[in-house]
Amino acid sequence: MLGTMEEKAMVKFLGKFKDSPFIVKFNGREYTVGQGQPDFTVYVRRPIPVSQLMTSTSLALGEAYMDGNLEVEGDLYYALDRFLSQMDKFSTDRRSLVKLLNTSLSKKNQEKEVTSHYDIGNDFYKLWLDKTMSYSCAYFQKEEDTLYQAQVNKVDYILKKLYLKEGMNILDIGCGWGFLLLEAAKKYKVKGLGITLSKEQHREFEKRIKEEGLEDYLQVELMDYRDLPKSGKSFDRVVSVGMLEHVGRENYHLFADCASQVLKDGGLFLLHFISGLKEYSGDPWIKKYIFPGGMIPSLREMVSCLADDSFHVLDVEDLRLHYNKTLLCWEKNFKENREEISKMFDHRFMRMWELYLASCAAAFHNGIVDIHQILASKGVNNQLPLVRWY
């Protein structure tokens, strides 16, 4: 009887997600949420207490899926895409989750948070990223573009926006495994510095520089962006792709300050970041298990921060659906290499990562998050072509 009471309480809570009807099954007992033909079916092995669902719907459902207490019939992305279209109905008690949602912004803690994700292992990422080792939104110029081609497109597009000329130098804040700088050096004969907090990325990027024979053009350093001003370096161009999400809301102005202090007058700054329509403190499940300390800026607050440092915004572009497609490619690659990945990690990790990739793809598809590229100049730059598509 107790189990039935918990089941009914859980179904009552889920009843508000009725826009996309679905079936919930508990050991043979079946409940339908919403009206019409159900879009998907969820199997629940152990009911989730409503108190947990009220504290954080995403955390409660996410942990239940990771633990195998909740299973989705058929394609996980298909179900999540429909369920997350109602994410405004999720419950989040931010007061009880304050420590999870607002972690320390100290250098030591942020290094720990960043490395917890990016230092999982290069061998792991190589199994499901493409050979460029790009872990950010690709750019699909054509419907038939492969993930590899789309990542090459993305980097080429960014470098064109930066209007590079031979002899310039460029800084990549949060350089990842270095593909952007490798392409910049080879195609434009510019010198570059990449900075990262990830030892795994640093090691792989150094290896790639040597393999490409680009030691005279490129360097990579383990460095916090806050140490840039005292480095004594200056650059013609600064780019940051997918790193701003690790900075923290209280440090957005500081981040812009640091970029400004090492960028020459008239220099260009390209900022590529996951964004929210409005300011919010992030999703509890993502922050606990995937990106500790991660914070998604809004477009408007970043434009404001740039203006405070006398950056003139030249161009803003939304690539939201490109990230949906990128994530679906990663999810497909992950599934195809599941057997190999399972030799590295346990079953719970595997389910966690599958949920991460599928839910993020659904979040972008439903406009829960966006991704923007902002191109700005430090002060006035009258030397650029008059048309955007240079």
Side-chain angles (χ1 to χ4, degrees):
M1 184 64 179
L2 182 60
T4 302
M5 290 173 58
E6 289 179 338
E7 288 175 15
K8 290 180 178 179
M10 181 179 174
V11 171
K12 183 178 179 181
F13 178 88
L14 294 175
K16 59 184 175 180
F17 297 94
K18 59 185 178 181
D19 294 351
S20 291
F22 61 99
I23 293 172
V24 185
K25 290 186 176 181
F26 299 84
N27 299 316
R29 293 177 293 277
E30 185 176 305
Y31 305 84
T32 300
V33 175
Q35 301 294 320
Q37 183 66 31
D39 286 328
F40 57 93
T41 299
V42 176
Y43 294 88
V44 181
R45 294 188 176 91
R46 182 180 299 172
I48 304 170
V50 170
S51 59
Q52 294 180 19
L53 291 164
M54 288 293 295
T55 300
S56 172
T57 306
S58 70
L59 193 57
L61 294 176
E63 289 180 336
Y65 184 84
M66 288 165 59
D67 293 334
N69 292 324
L70 185 152
E71 195 66 70
V72 175
E73 182 181 78
D75 185 73
L76 180 61
Y77 168 73
Y78 179 89
L80 287 169
D81 189 43
R82 282 145 185 81
F83 192 69
L84 293 188
S85 67
Q86 307 173 74
M87 198 166 183
D88 58 323
K89 299 174 183 176
F90 277 44
S91 296
T92 306
D93 183 353
R94 299 195 178 276
R95 285 185 297 179
S96 64
L97 298 169
V98 64
K99 290 184 179 179
L100 173 63
L101 296 175
N102 299 282
T103 57
S104 169
L105 299 182
S106 70
K107 289 181 182 179
K108 183 177 181 181
N109 189 61
Q110 288 199 319
E111 179 183 2
K112 179 183 176 182
E113 290 174 340
V114 167
T115 56
S116 73
H117 186 90
Y118 297 99
D119 282 355
I120 291 174
N122 291 335
D123 290 341
F124 166 66
Y125 284 107
K126 285 178 180 178
L127 285 172
W128 55 275
L129 296 178
D130 68 289
K131 65 181 181 181
T132 71
M133 290 291 284
S134 297
Y135 190 22
S136 55
C137 177
Y139 186 64
F140 293 86
Q141 289 183 322
K142 300 176 183 177
E143 183 67 29
E144 65 271 18
D145 280 345
T146 63
L147 176 61
Y148 168 75
Q149 184 59 56
Q151 291 293 8
V152 172
N153 294 344
K154 184 266 297 296
V155 167
D156 186 51
Y157 193 34
I158 287 173
L159 297 180
K160 284 179 179 177
K161 285 186 177 184
L162 287 170
Y163 201 57
L164 295 171
K165 300 295 181 183
E166 185 173 346
M168 285 184 173
N169 57 358
I170 179 174
L171 168 68
D172 187 349
I173 304 175
C175 61
W177 290 275
F179 183 68
L180 186 147
L181 287 180
L182 292 168
E183 291 290 281
K186 288 189 288 186
K187 292 182 177 178
Y188 294 92
K189 297 293 188 289
V190 297
K191 294 189 175 182
L193 170 67
I195 65 169
T196 178
L197 294 176
S198 166
K199 295 180 178 64
E200 288 281 293
Q201 290 180 341
H202 179 269
R203 179 169 59 83
E204 182 69 17
F205 190 10
E206 277 196 328
K207 178 184 173 185
R208 298 172 92 177
I209 291 171
K210 292 176 182 177
E211 288 174 348
E212 298 280 0
L214 295 171
E215 295 96 327
D216 292 338
Y217 285 91
L218 300 178
Q219 290 179 290
V220 57
E221 295 184 17
L222 286 167
M223 182 190 294
D224 190 290
Y225 72 91
R226 286 166 281 197
D227 294 327
L228 283 167
K230 64 184 180 185
S231 70
K233 301 179 187 295
S234 62
F235 301 89
D236 300 288
R237 302 288 188 262
V238 175
V239 61
S240 183
V241 178
M243 179 272 180
L244 184 63
E245 300 88 328
H246 300 288
V247 167
R249 177 151 285 113
E250 294 85 349
N251 280 350
Y252 294 153
H253 277 93
L254 176 60
F255 179 81
D257 290 345
C258 291
S260 176
Q261 288 182 58
V262 295
L263 184 60
K264 297 174 185 177
D265 290 340
L268 299 182
F269 180 27
L270 188 140
L271 192 55
H272 171 119
F273 61 101
I274 297 172
S275 59
L277 189 62
K278 298 179 181 179
E279 301 75 35
Y280 76 110
S281 53
D283 178 78
W285 183 80
I286 289 285
K287 296 191 82 159
K288 183 173 182 178
Y289 290 102
I290 307 298
F291 291 113
M295 185 78 70
I296 296 176
S298 68
L299 176 61
R300 63 187 179 186
E301 66 184 325
M302 290 317 303
V303 170
S304 176
C305 289
L306 292 171
D308 288 342
D309 272 298
S310 298
F311 279 106
H312 290 243
V313 173
L314 307 174
D315 185 69
V316 177
E317 186 169 5
D318 186 340
L319 301 175
R320 177 176 61 83
L321 290 179
H322 290 271
Y323 218 162
N324 166 258
K325 193 165 183 175
T326 302
L327 281 151
L328 290 176
C329 288
W330 289 342
E331 184 200 31
K332 179 175 180 289
N333 291 347
F334 191 95
K335 288 178 178 177
E336 289 175 352
N337 290 280
R338 202 178 194 284
E339 184 176 346
E340 197 65 28
I341 297 171
S342 67
K343 297 175 184 176
M344 303 176 178
F345 302 100
D346 64 21
H347 187 63
R348 193 171 191 260
F349 177 93
M350 299 289 291
R351 291 178 66 85
M352 176 184 77
W353 213 262
E354 288 168 349
L355 181 60
Y356 154 55
L357 295 173
S359 63
C360 285
F364 280 103
H365 190 247
N366 285 288
I368 296 165
V369 284
D370 281 286
I371 186 155
H372 283 98
Q373 278 186 7
I374 300 177
L375 180 67
S377 64
K378 181 182 174 181
V380 174
N381 184 327
N382 291 330
Q383 308 307 311
L384 300 174
L386 291 175
V387 295
R388 178 186 186 193
W389 301 111
Y390 55 75

